[in-house]
Amino acid sequence: MAVPVFCNSCLCEPRNPTPRFCLTSCGHVFCEVCLQKGKKDECSFCRSACRTLVLSKEISPDIQSLFMRVDMLWKKYSKDLSQVSEFQEKYRKRLLTQYKQKIAKLEESFKKVTQQMQQIQCMKLPEKTTPQPFSSTSRNPFSIPSRKQNVYSSYSLHSSRPSTSETMEAMEIDPVPSPMRKV
């Protein structure tokens, strides 16, 4: 291990023959001798409940990295980061290429459909415009007044009742007889 390890209780360092050192879950390091003096499952330094792990070359890389020099960690993780970055960049490029291909296919399909629609429209006969029986200026006696049109707008302000011709003009008349009505 690159960073010097020492016991947080007696400050001894590993030597040959050396006692084993343990790391607590609260982040303290103890030699085996000091660990035996303390209570089981309790840190001798901060008195909190803890678990211990014997430090050796077989421990996980995450635990080993706690004792590595920072410059070594930087080299290790910068290499890992660059590999991850390269992988992700290649992955993004492949994904982008696939999306571009999919977009090109959709655009081609869209062009074909647009051309087909134009051909269908060209095949249709132009509709003949028939003259309206009533011009927009003449009033259709059978038309239904719109909601916006004020039926009584032509009434005089002085008249309390509309005239018979005005009433007839405002009435809605159904030009097709209903089968229920007797004609």
Side-chain angles (χ1 to χ4, degrees):
M1 295 187 193
V3 174
V5 178
F6 62 91
C7 176
N8 290 142
S9 180
C10 70
L11 302 176
C12 74
E13 294 179 15
R15 294 190 198 117
N16 286 336
T18 180
R20 295 189 306 177
F21 280 74
C22 295
L23 174 67
T24 64
S25 56
C26 56
H28 296 107
V29 177
F30 295 101
C31 66
E32 198 171 32
V33 175
C34 291
L35 191 63
Q36 296 293 329
K37 291 179 187 175
K39 292 182 181 177
K40 185 178 181 183
D41 298 330
E42 180 183 272
C43 177
S44 301
F45 191 81
C46 66
R47 304 284 183 228
S48 64
C50 66
R51 296 180 316 265
T52 58
L53 176 69
V54 176
L55 296 177
S56 68
K57 292 185 180 190
E58 289 80 34
I59 59 174
S60 74
D62 291 337
I63 301 297
Q64 286 181 12
S65 67
L66 295 174
F67 298 96
M68 290 176 69
R69 290 189 344 226
V70 175
D71 61 335
M72 297 300 288
L73 279 174
W74 174 252
K75 287 179 185 177
K76 177 184 184 291
Y77 287 115
S78 66
K79 182 180 175 184
D80 291 348
L81 284 174
S82 63
Q83 288 176 344
V84 168
S85 177
E86 288 174 19
F87 169 81
Q88 290 181 359
E89 183 64 26
K90 288 177 184 177
Y91 181 78
R92 277 192 295 270
K93 285 181 180 179
R94 276 181 267 158
L95 187 63
L96 183 62
T97 302
Q98 288 175 340
Y99 278 136
K100 285 180 179 180
Q101 290 171 352
K102 195 171 194 175
I103 288 170
K105 286 179 183 178
L106 289 172
E107 286 175 343
E108 186 63 33
S109 296
F110 180 71
K111 285 179 184 177
K112 287 179 182 177
V113 169
T114 304
Q115 289 173 352
Q116 288 174 351
M117 287 176 53
Q118 289 173 350
Q119 289 174 352
I120 291 171
Q121 287 176 349
C122 290
M123 295 168 84
K124 283 186 178 180
L125 295 175
E127 295 180 13
K128 294 180 181 177
T129 56
T130 57
Q132 295 293 331
F134 299 102
S135 68
S136 61
T137 56
S138 68
R139 175 128 185 181
N140 182 355
F142 300 111
S143 68
I144 300 172
S146 68
R147 292 181 186 181
K148 292 180 181 177
Q149 182 181 352
N150 186 355
V151 176
Y152 299 106
S153 63
S154 62
Y155 296 166
S156 69
L157 295 174
H158 301 293
S159 169
S160 61
R161 295 182 73 184
S163 68
T164 308
S165 63
E166 289 174 336
T167 305
M168 288 299 288
E169 191 175 319
M171 289 177 61
E172 294 178 10
I173 299 172
D174 186 6
V176 180
S178 169
M180 300 298 283
R181 268 192 263 159
K182 292 182 182 177
V183 180

